[in-house]
């Protein structure tokens, strides 16, 4: 079993570009040959999950998401579990 995973959680004030930065980082890591999984933990902001989904599709990486209003910690847990199951290299969770 390979255990080589880098995980990052994005935090910051509203509107500073966290989700966009996550999309750009995912692209960089994928271009470097890493398997990337995104976690849509910002379950309270309208369209946050949709925005991260668009980035995941644009970049071509997996995303773990739940319904609006879901527990963000559950999304983070599910994202890490998915990364372990898929032997992912990089996990980035939007908050």
């Amino acid at each position: 079993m390979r255990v080589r995973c880098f995980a990052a959680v994005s935090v910051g004030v509203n509107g500073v570009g966290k989700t966009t930065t996550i999309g750009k980082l995912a692209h960089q890591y994928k271009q470097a040959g890493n398997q990337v999984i995104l976690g849509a933990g910002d379950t309270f902001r309208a369209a946050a999950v949709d925005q991260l989904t668009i980035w995941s599709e644009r970049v071509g990486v997996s995303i773990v998401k739940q319904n609006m209003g879901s527990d963000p910690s559950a999304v983070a847990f599910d994202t890490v579990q998915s990364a372990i199951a898929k032997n992912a290299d990089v996990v980035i969770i939007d908050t």
Side-chain angles (χ1 to χ4, degrees):
M1 172 192 235
R2 177 179 70 137
V3 180
R4 183 183 77 86
C5 185
F6 166 74
V9 176
S10 166
V11 292
V13 220
N14 292 345
V16 296
K18 293 180 298 294
T19 304
T20 300
T21 300
I22 287 170
K24 292 177 179 182
L25 285 170
H27 176 71
Q28 291 284 330
Y29 283 118
K30 182 164 185 202
Q31 291 295 98
N34 294 296
Q35 182 181 358
V36 181
I37 296 182
L38 303 179
D42 187 357
T43 58
F44 298 108
R45 181 172 63 89
V49 174
D50 294 337
Q51 183 183 5
L52 195 63
T53 300
I54 290 169
W55 272 108
S56 74
E57 292 169 354
R58 189 179 291 167
V59 174
V61 299
S62 298
I63 185 169
V64 174
K65 56 188 175 181
Q66 294 182 6
N67 295 328
M68 282 293 295
S70 298
D71 181 7
S73 63
V75 176
F77 180 83
D78 290 347
T79 304
V80 171
Q81 290 301 308
S82 177
I84 291 169
K86 296 178 180 179
N87 288 321
D89 301 303
V90 178
V91 176
I92 307 174
I93 300 171
D94 192 10
T95 60

